[in-house]
Amino acid sequence: MIKYALKRFGASVIVMFLASLLLYFLVTHSGDPLSDLRESNDPNREMLMQRRIDFMNLDQPWFLRYLSWLGGVAGCFVGQCDLGTTRNGVQVSDLLANAASSTLRLVVLATVLAIIIGIAVGIVTAIRQYSGLDYAITFLTFLFFSLPVFWAAVLLKEYIGIAYNDWLRYPQMNWVGVGVIALILGLALQAAMGGNLKRRLMTGIGTAIFFFLAVLVMNNFNLFMKPSMGPFGIGIWVLAAAVAVGATALVAGIRNKQVLVPALVTAGIGIISYYATFTLLEEPNWFLIVGLFVLAIVIAVVVARLLGGWNKGAATSVSVVTAIFTSIFILADHIFRAWEGFLRLKPRPISTIGSQTPNFAGNFWEDFLDKGMQMLLPTILLTIISIATYSRYTRASMLEVSQQDYIRTARSKGLNERSVILKHAFRNTLIPITTIVAFDFAGLIGGALVTERVFGWKGMGELFQTGLQEIDPIPVMAFFLITGTAAVFFNLIADLMYAVLDPRIRL
């Protein structure tokens, strides 16, 4: 495998070199970088032109400028990275750091959500092939995939951004609207759950009643303005236990005590840690949060190894999932507590332009909420557009795999449907999906140009576009360096993952 990886790396270096040479040539010959100054009536025009010539080294042939840029990139391997300057004399490395940070914040969460939701939807529709649910989801996924990004962004701004900000002035739900939403949710969930008529009716009615009562409680206790996990974090107790039980039922079956007990113990330790770390998390930093998150996973693994018996693998998976979700619930409690103070600083919380509020002065959680609200609309947009790809590929792969001989053999051996789907079919389904995920991550690092422009984010896409418009190859090459390296790296990761997912594949 090491020999294969080195061989691929060498080939990738050659491809990157040739592609960078071609790109540099095309950008430098795409126009005149001095055209705006040649048409200027500024009395200092000659001085401005000479300064730009000096910044861009326009007195040298294009290939010497390329070699100079390539030498600066090579210096990155010895800690002396120099990616050059823009035509205005600004260091590209500084611009790149800000652009990459902005883009990663924008696309990573959307991509992860799209992968999780898309794969889950694909599995469900494959299991319920040609049902009403399958047809409905197929229609919606293709509808979302076909949406023009700029048009969908305007709708999100109008109906989620502006309308929600207006609603917060008097955050009460219209009961007719609540009833309609409850009915839609009940119909959707009963269609997803399936079963006989009695089960579907109970599911639909129960969901509608639960939603209606939940909104009633939120209205009476003003939880839209002051959200809470309940007194003494009781909501965390319930949710952590629900995740432990649900994950156990999904992975190993609810009667498997060797998996259920470690999961519940992990949830209990998480609830205890909520009180133990409460003061620390009132004004934390990212190092503390990441450290506690890693510690929670380590504790979950230890608990599963000690209590999992012969079923340690499944116990570890379920306990880790329980620890992750319990940690998220604990953080959510602190975010809810900061919401009221955040609204005092920013009465209209959802912004439609920019990646953060200028001169925003709040504590850690209020600043987190500010950046989160800025990400909300573009994240929703990128997620709903990307879900279609993952759901359709997952559905097609699941349907293909379900016809294989080993799936029929697994069923004939008496394995329950959960084990057949998750342990046999789904793992083989991941092979084509791995390729899509790898290239999607690599592509999104390049930025979502239209989304960035509509929502006013200064990300990688904006850096690339500005470089092209100004006939300035240095920002374009910085963009290429990051996105090209990401494409090569994730492509290699995808190839290596094939051998992990399917032992029959050898590199």
Side-chain angles (χ1 to χ4, degrees), residues 398-417 419-421 424-425 428:
M398 284 287 294
L399 290 176
E400 180 181 357
V401 168
S402 64
Q403 303 301 318
Q404 300 299 316
D405 291 340
Y406 60 84
I407 297 296
R408 288 193 289 269
T409 302
R411 288 195 173 104
S412 66
K413 288 164 58 178
L415 292 179
N416 58 49
E417 195 66 14
S419 298
V420 172
I421 292 172
H424 292 75
N428 289 281

Coordinates of all heavy atoms in Angstrom, one line a residue, residues 398-417 419-421 424-425 428:
M398 N -28.0 0.5 -3.2 CA -28.7 -0.4 -2.3 C -29.6 -1.4 -3.1 O -29.6 -2.6 -2.8 CB -29.6 0.4 -1.3 CG -28.8 1.0 -0.2 SD -28.2 -0.2 1.0 CE -29.8 -0.8 1.7
L399 N -30.2 -0.9 -4.2 CA -31.1 -1.8 -5.0 C -30.2 -2.8 -5.7 O -30.6 -4.0 -5.9 CB -31.9 -0.9 -5.9 CG -33.0 -0.1 -5.3 CD1 -33.7 0.7 -6.4 CD2 -34.0 -1.0 -4.6
E400 N -29.1 -2.4 -6.2 CA -28.2 -3.3 -6.9 C -27.6 -4.3 -6.0 O -27.6 -5.5 -6.3 CB -27.1 -2.5 -7.6 CG -26.1 -3.4 -8.3 CD -25.0 -2.6 -9.0 OE1 -25.0 -1.3 -8.8 OE2 -24.1 -3.2 -9.6
V401 N -27.2 -3.9 -4.8 CA -26.6 -4.8 -3.8 C -27.6 -5.8 -3.3 O -27.3 -7.0 -3.1 CB -25.9 -4.0 -2.7 CG1 -25.6 -5.0 -1.5 CG2 -24.7 -3.3 -3.2
S402 N -28.9 -5.4 -3.1 CA -29.9 -6.2 -2.5 C -30.3 -7.4 -3.4 O -30.9 -8.4 -3.0 CB -31.2 -5.4 -2.3 OG -31.7 -4.9 -3.5
Q403 N -29.8 -7.4 -4.7 CA -30.1 -8.5 -5.6 C -29.0 -9.5 -5.6 O -29.1 -10.5 -6.3 CB -30.3 -8.0 -7.0 CG -31.4 -6.9 -7.2 CD -32.8 -7.5 -6.7 OE1 -33.1 -8.6 -7.0 NE2 -33.5 -6.7 -6.0
Q404 N -27.9 -9.2 -4.8 CA -26.8 -10.1 -4.9 C -27.0 -11.4 -4.1 O -27.9 -11.5 -3.2 CB -25.5 -9.4 -4.3 CG -25.1 -8.2 -5.0 CD -24.8 -8.4 -6.5 OE1 -24.0 -9.4 -6.8 NE2 -25.3 -7.6 -7.4
D405 N -26.2 -12.4 -4.4 CA -26.4 -13.8 -3.8 C -26.2 -13.7 -2.3 O -26.9 -14.4 -1.5 CB -25.5 -14.8 -4.4 CG -25.9 -15.1 -5.9 OD1 -27.1 -14.8 -6.2 OD2 -25.1 -15.6 -6.6
Y406 N -25.2 -13.0 -1.8 CA -24.9 -13.0 -0.4 C -25.9 -12.3 0.5 O -26.1 -12.6 1.6 CB -23.5 -12.3 -0.1 CG -23.4 -10.9 -0.6 CD1 -23.8 -9.9 0.3 CD2 -22.8 -10.5 -1.8 CE1 -23.7 -8.5 -0.1 CE2 -22.7 -9.2 -2.2 CZ -23.1 -8.2 -1.3 OH -23.0 -6.9 -1.7
I407 N -26.8 -11.4 -0.1 CA -27.9 -10.9 0.6 C -29.0 -11.9 0.8 O -29.5 -12.1 1.9 CB -28.4 -9.6 -0.1 CG1 -27.4 -8.5 -0.2 CG2 -29.7 -9.1 0.6 CD1 -26.9 -8.0 1.1
R408 N -29.2 -12.7 -0.3 CA -30.2 -13.8 -0.1 C -29.7 -14.8 0.8 O -30.5 -15.4 1.6 CB -30.5 -14.4 -1.5 CG -31.3 -13.5 -2.4 CD -31.8 -14.3 -3.6 NE -30.7 -14.6 -4.5 CZ -30.3 -13.8 -5.6 NH1 -31.0 -12.7 -5.8 NH2 -29.3 -14.2 -6.4
T409 N -28.4 -15.1 0.8 CA -27.9 -16.1 1.8 C -28.0 -15.6 3.2 O -28.4 -16.4 4.1 CB -26.4 -16.3 1.4 OG1 -26.3 -16.8 0.1 CG2 -25.8 -17.3 2.4
A410 N -27.8 -14.3 3.4 CA -27.9 -13.7 4.8 C -29.3 -13.9 5.3 O -29.5 -14.2 6.4 CB -27.5 -12.3 4.8
R411 N -30.3 -13.6 4.4 CA -31.7 -13.7 4.8 C -32.0 -15.2 5.1 O -32.8 -15.5 6.0 CB -32.6 -13.1 3.8 CG -32.6 -11.6 3.7 CD -33.7 -11.1 2.9 NE -33.8 -9.6 3.0 CZ -33.4 -8.8 2.0 NH1 -32.9 -9.3 0.8 NH2 -33.5 -7.5 2.1
S412 N -31.5 -16.1 4.2 CA -31.9 -17.5 4.4 C -31.3 -18.1 5.7 O -31.8 -19.1 6.2 CB -31.4 -18.3 3.2 OG -30.0 -18.3 3.1
K413 N -30.2 -17.5 6.2 CA -29.6 -17.9 7.4 C -30.4 -17.5 8.6 O -30.0 -17.9 9.8 CB -28.1 -17.4 7.5 CG -27.2 -18.1 6.6 CD -25.9 -17.3 6.4 CE -25.2 -17.1 7.7 NZ -23.9 -16.3 7.6
G414 N -31.4 -16.7 8.4 CA -32.2 -16.2 9.5 C -31.9 -14.9 10.2 O -32.4 -14.5 11.2
L415 N -30.9 -14.1 9.5 CA -30.6 -12.8 10.1 C -31.7 -11.9 10.0 O -32.5 -11.9 9.0 CB -29.4 -12.3 9.3 CG -28.0 -13.0 9.5 CD1 -26.9 -12.3 8.7 CD2 -27.6 -13.0 11.0
N416 N -31.9 -11.0 11.0 CA -33.0 -10.1 10.9 C -32.7 -9.0 9.9 O -31.5 -8.8 9.4 CB -33.3 -9.4 12.3 CG -32.0 -8.8 12.8 OD1 -31.4 -8.0 12.2 ND2 -31.7 -9.0 14.1
E417 N -33.7 -8.3 9.4 CA -33.6 -7.3 8.3 C -32.6 -6.2 8.7 O -31.9 -5.7 7.8 CB -35.0 -6.8 8.0 CG -35.0 -6.1 6.7 CD -34.8 -7.0 5.5 OE1 -34.9 -8.2 5.6 OE2 -34.6 -6.5 4.4
S419 N -29.8 -6.4 10.4 CA -28.5 -6.9 10.2 C -28.2 -7.0 8.7 O -27.1 -6.7 8.3 CB -28.3 -8.2 10.9 OG -28.4 -8.1 12.3
V420 N -29.2 -7.5 8.0 CA -28.9 -7.6 6.5 C -28.7 -6.3 5.9 O -27.8 -6.1 5.0 CB -30.2 -8.3 5.9 CG1 -30.1 -8.3 4.4 CG2 -30.3 -9.7 6.4
I421 N -29.5 -5.3 6.2 CA -29.3 -4.0 5.6 C -28.1 -3.3 6.0 O -27.3 -2.8 5.2 CB -30.6 -3.1 5.9 CG1 -31.8 -3.7 5.2 CG2 -30.4 -1.7 5.5 CD1 -33.1 -3.1 5.6
H424 N -24.6 -6.0 5.9 CA -24.2 -6.6 4.6 C -24.4 -5.7 3.4 O -23.5 -5.5 2.6 CB -25.1 -7.9 4.5 CG -24.7 -9.0 5.4 ND1 -25.1 -8.9 6.7 CD2 -24.0 -10.1 5.3 CE1 -24.6 -10.0 7.4 NE2 -24.0 -10.8 6.5
A425 N -25.6 -5.2 3.3 CA -25.9 -4.4 2.1 C -25.3 -3.0 2.1 O -24.6 -2.6 1.2 CB -27.4 -4.2 1.9
N428 N -21.4 -2.6 1.4 CA -21.0 -2.7 0.0 C -21.5 -1.5 -0.8 O -21.0 -1.1 -1.9 CB -21.5 -4.0 -0.6 CG -20.7 -5.2 -0.1 OD1 -19.6 -5.5 -0.5 ND2 -21.3 -5.8 0.9

